């Protein structure tokens, strides 16, 4: 859903990112948040025996790879992620309304947050930190990071 929102904000095409996620994560059975069997959707579940509902993620991925081949499976997974991203749009709109942020200003806010994350990354690299902690604050006109032990960065 995040990639779909990014695409709507920037006009970018999320398909290459979906393909990368499918290739690097899903083909190896790595899914965060839910079992792969549930994530793949009904169309791909129909390609599997009913017993697959009890399989681990890697077994589900391997069975689909064997049945469809990697490239066809990747295309099915890209279609599934595209559909999930689009289905998440009402949730994204509601989330914006709940926060009080203007949906019309989402591009500006997203770019500001991206610049802040880039500054944070540069600071962590420059300091040679392996971990840190702090607080990110997102407001109508600015985004800031205040490290517990370090600088305050603001965009």
């Amino acid at each position: 859903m995040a990639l779909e929102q990014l695409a709507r904000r920037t006009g970018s095409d999320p398909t290459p990112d979906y393909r990368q996620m499918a290739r690097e994560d899903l083909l190896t059975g790595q899914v965060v948040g839910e079992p792969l069997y549930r994530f793949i959707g009904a169309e791909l579940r129909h390609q599997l025996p009913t017993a697959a509902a009890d399989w681990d993620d890697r077994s589900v991925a391997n069975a689909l790879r064997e049945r469809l081949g990697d490239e066809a499976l990747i295309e099915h997974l890209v279609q599934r992620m595209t559909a999930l991203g689009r289905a998440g749009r009402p949730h994204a709109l509601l989330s914006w309304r709940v926060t009080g942020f203007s949906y019309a200003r989402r591009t500006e806010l997203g770019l500001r947050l991206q610049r802040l994350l880039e500054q944070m990354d540069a600071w962590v690299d420059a300091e040679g930190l392996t971990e840190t902690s702090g607080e990110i604050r997102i407001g109508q006109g600015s985004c800031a990071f205040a490290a517990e032990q370090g600088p305050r960065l603001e965009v």
Side-chain angles (χ1 to χ4, degrees):
M1 285 188 253
L3 286 173
E4 178 67 21
Q5 291 305 304
L6 176 64
R8 294 185 71 74
R9 247 190 354 261
T10 64
S12 63
D13 178 6
T15 305
D17 292 316
Y18 291 151
R19 277 199 183 91
Q20 181 180 354
M21 290 168 58
R23 192 174 306 286
E24 293 177 4
D25 300 323
L26 302 177
L27 287 185
T28 61
Q30 297 178 36
V31 179
V32 176
E34 66 183 307
L36 180 60
Y37 184 82
R38 192 172 337 142
F39 175 82
I40 61 174
E43 185 178 334
L44 284 175
R45 279 195 297 268
H46 289 303
Q47 302 289 328
L48 297 167
T50 55
D54 298 323
W55 295 354
D56 63 61
D57 292 345
R58 186 174 296 273
S59 297
V60 170
N62 287 340
L64 288 169
R65 290 175 84 172
E66 192 172 297
R67 179 159 174 93
L68 301 172
D70 285 2
E71 295 310 312
L73 177 55
I74 287 169
E75 291 311 309
H76 280 283
L77 292 169
V78 166
Q79 290 173 12
R80 175 70 174 152
M81 287 185 277
T82 300
L84 289 171
R86 289 185 180 144
R89 187 165 190 259
H91 173 74
L93 289 168
L94 177 61
S95 295
W96 276 97
R97 286 190 188 108
V98 168
T99 65
F101 291 117
S102 168
Y103 188 76
R105 295 182 64 198
R106 70 193 185 280
T107 298
E108 176 188 334
L109 181 59
L111 292 172
R112 190 179 311 120
L113 183 57
Q114 182 176 333
R115 286 192 309 272
L116 176 65
L117 293 171
E118 289 168 354
Q119 285 184 15
M120 291 168 59
D121 189 48
W123 170 67
V124 167
D125 282 347
E127 295 295 318
L129 300 174
T130 56
E131 67 179 62
T132 190
S133 60
E135 183 177 87
I136 294 177
R137 291 192 178 199
I138 302 171
Q140 293 289 357
S142 69
C143 294
F145 171 72
E148 285 183 10
Q149 296 182 358
R152 176 180 170 82
L153 306 172
E154 189 166 349
V155 176

